[in-house]
Amino acid sequence: MLRRGTEGNTFGGGDADELPARGALGQRSKATVTDGLVDLVTGFRTERIDLHGSQAVLAAEDGRTLDPADRLVVLTGFRPDLSFLSEVRLDLDYRLQAPVRIAADVDPNLHSCGTVRATGASDLAQPEPGFYIVGAKSYGRAPNFLALTGYEQIRSITADLTGDHAAASRVELVLPDTGVCGGSGVFDAEDSGGSCCTAPGPQRVSIALAPAGAKITTTGGC
């Protein structure tokens, strides 16, 4: 069940994914739908869950309901557990809970795991001296982390801690292409193909007439 209006890039980049196993996994998942083993429902925005005995029925905002289910698997993402760092000085983005210096670069609304730049010691260092946030936790709520990214983070931080600042600042990672252009796009749209690497579509503009002689200031790119 998808909130987005179309299948979009749900099953990944297939043969265009430079990580073959990941591409194959997406194609196997797609085959379960094509073969009728799994029903794919799109444009479903859950309004409530009704319980009928031991089963649950999902109801959408548009009045649709799904067949009773014995088990629901809710894929809503996750957030890092920072509770044990309450006494450590941190500088985190208020939206993603990622280090401020990389928040814009890992924003899933703009990037997929294949378009996020490599991050290193200078990006991950916190106000607490000698303290870094690495791995999946460094991406906060963003789901586009790759293990390869974490390996590069550790290499850079290790170099920094040993005094080899030139190696710490050097980028030694080329991320594989996902085969899916850009980020997640607009999940609620009927066509969720938009992403950071597609040109913006036509924009609706409202114009109000100003009195003669009035000073007008415009913002944005229209």
Side-chain angles (χ1 to χ4, degrees):
M1 183 194 71
L2 302 176
R3 188 176 66 179
R4 68 177 75 183
T6 62
E7 175 185 309
N9 59 11
T10 299
F11 300 109
D15 294 338
D17 195 323
E18 292 182 1
L19 290 180
R22 182 175 58 188
L25 179 61
Q27 294 307 294
R28 286 174 54 196
S29 299
K30 186 173 184 178
T32 63
V33 174
T34 303
D35 296 341
L37 301 176
V38 172
D39 293 329
L40 176 65
V41 179
T42 60
F44 195 97
R45 295 178 61 86
T46 304
E47 181 179 57
R48 69 182 188 276
I49 300 176
D50 297 325
L51 297 179
H52 296 272
S54 62
Q55 294 183 311
V57 175
L58 293 180
E61 293 177 350
D62 60 9
R64 285 183 294 164
T65 59
L66 299 184
D67 293 336
D70 297 302
R71 180 173 299 179
L72 301 179
V73 180
V74 185
L75 307 179
T76 59
F78 64 94
R79 56 187 291 183
D81 179 9
L82 302 171
S83 59
F84 66 100
L85 299 177
S86 60
E87 298 301 319
V88 177
R89 288 171 287 179
L90 303 176
D91 187 17
L92 304 177
D93 179 75
Y94 70 94
R95 299 168 302 124
L96 293 178
Q97 293 184 298
V100 167
R101 294 186 185 92
I102 72 169
D105 295 317
V106 303
D107 188 337
N109 293 306
L110 302 174
H111 296 282
S112 70
C113 49
T115 63
V116 175
R117 69 174 179 86
T119 53
S122 62
D123 302 306
L124 306 170
Q126 294 298 297
E128 191 76 19
F131 188 84
Y132 307 83
I133 296 181
V134 302
K137 196 179 294 289
S138 71
Y139 274 40
R141 296 172 181 264
N144 42 22
F145 177 78
L146 282 178
L148 289 173
T149 304
Y151 301 153
E152 173 66 5
Q153 290 177 342
I154 296 300
R155 183 206 62 77
S156 174
I157 291 172
T158 301
D160 196 54
L161 292 174
T162 58
D164 189 349
H165 303 301
S169 61
R170 187 170 60 244
V171 176
E172 298 185 1
L173 171 66
V174 177
L175 288 172
D177 192 345
T178 63
V180 177
C181 183
S184 61
V186 182
F187 281 93
D188 295 332
E190 286 301 312
D191 181 1
S192 58
S195 68
C196 65
C197 54
T198 57
Q203 302 296 308
R204 183 179 297 276
V205 178
S206 297
I207 300 176
L209 297 179
K215 181 180 180 181
I216 301 175
T217 301
T218 62
T219 60
C222 61

